[in-house]
Amino acid sequence: MNVLGLTTQKGGAGKSTLAISLAVAAVEAGERVIAIDLDPQGTLSAWGKRRGDEDENLLVERVEPHALAQAVANARAQGIATLAIVDTPGVFASTVSVAVASIDFALIPVKPTIIDIEAVRPVLGLLRTNRKPFGFVLSQVNAASSARNLDAAAALMAEGMGNPPMIAARSDFIDSAAAGKGVTEWAPKGKGAAEIRFLWRYVRAQLDGVHNG
Ligand SMILES: Nc1ncnc2c1ncn2[C@@H]1O[C@H](COP(=O)(O)OP(=O)(O)O)[C@@H](O)[C@H]1O
Ligand SMILES: [Mg+2]
């Protein structure tokens, strides 16, 4: 079982939105997923309740930070999932530290603004100290501001990563989450669904790299 973390201490970056749609896209690609909500705000677990529990390949659980390592160990021992996706809170540094200890790869959503890019420093420090591999995804991008998006991508690449995948700001992300769906279920032929499938392939490749490397 691989463990993906959505991490950044910046609230509103898109962690929960991406955790939701990545969980569904991963199941569609053949994974059995346990989506773990570490955030007291409970965005992911509230989505799980709206969704209902008829999907045996997608479990959604709210877990207290101190119980995360055990929850991951149990899921691994019981073989109930091939992938755990951990959604973390924006503000609680101690919770993010706990999450980082359990993950194999961290995905960091960043909005394409200087303020948001500067705000990734603390989580990068944490990930580097813990020797955890990470990658960025440009989040809530305005598809019309391509110069700004390229500048943002260049700034993130300066951290030593490749060209980051991009997810645009789209109502499909908001509406699908409200309906207890992932964007690939809500509008399977839409652009948001295509972006999420691309992001899922990127994440899968990163996880494969971690385990082979
Ligand atoms: N790609 C997107 N398109 C449109 N709205 C988005 C997108 N990603 C996030 N949002 C909206 O932005 C806000 C913050 O997103 P959220 O996923 O809760 O961020 P975080 O979990 O990092 O705090 C929410 O209102 C969410 O609906
Ligand atoms: Mg959140």
Side-chain angles (χ1 to χ4, degrees):
M1 185 182 81
N2 302 135
V3 185
L4 167 69
L6 277 293
T7 57
T8 172
Q9 273 140 278
K10 188 82 181 155
K15 294 179 290 296
S16 300
T17 300
L18 295 178
I20 286 168
S21 275
L22 279 174
V24 171
V27 169
E28 289 173 347
E31 305 278 344
R32 283 175 294 126
V33 174
I34 179 166
I36 298 178
D37 190 356
L38 276 193
D39 188 347
Q41 281 188 345
T43 307
L44 182 61
S45 41
W47 172 82
K49 292 210 177 75
R50 288 196 294 282
R51 183 174 182 80
D53 57 6
E54 73 271 18
D55 193 344
E56 60 180 18
N57 292 321
L58 178 42
L59 307 172
V60 184
E61 263 184 38
R62 174 101 168 71
V63 172
E64 295 296 326
H66 68 85
L68 177 65
Q70 192 61 52
V72 167
N74 289 349
R76 190 166 270 139
Q78 293 163 6
I80 54 175
T82 57
L83 175 71
I85 298 180
V86 182
D87 186 25
T88 66
V91 284
F92 299 103
S94 58
T95 304
V96 180
S97 307
V98 164
V100 162
S102 284
I103 64 180
D104 300 318
F105 177 76
L107 186 61
I108 307 173
V110 190
K111 291 200 265 182
T113 77
I114 186 71
I115 292 174
D116 290 79
I117 291 168
E118 284 175 353
V120 301
R121 292 256 158 71
V123 81
L124 291 190
L126 188 64
L127 290 162
R128 285 183 171 133
T129 304
N130 286 275
R131 298 173 186 280
K132 294 291 178 173
F134 60 86
F136 300 105
V137 49
L138 271 183
S139 173
Q140 301 171 59
V141 163
N142 178 344
S145 336
S146 60
R148 193 203 286 160
N149 298 336
L150 290 176
D151 283 354
L156 293 175
M157 286 167 79
E159 295 292 342
M161 320 304 299
N163 208 344
M166 292 199 191
I167 299 285
R170 300 184 189 282
S171 51
D172 280 350
F173 286 102
I174 297 169
D175 296 337
S176 56
K181 303 287 184 199
V183 74
T184 50
E185 296 169 312
W186 181 253
K189 295 186 173 146
K191 291 181 178 168
E195 289 166 350
I196 283 289
R197 287 188 199 104
F198 182 89
L199 180 61
W200 164 247
R201 287 195 294 275
Y202 166 82
V203 167
R204 184 65 264 174
Q206 301 304 309
L207 289 169
D208 289 342
V210 171
H211 284 267
N212 297 329

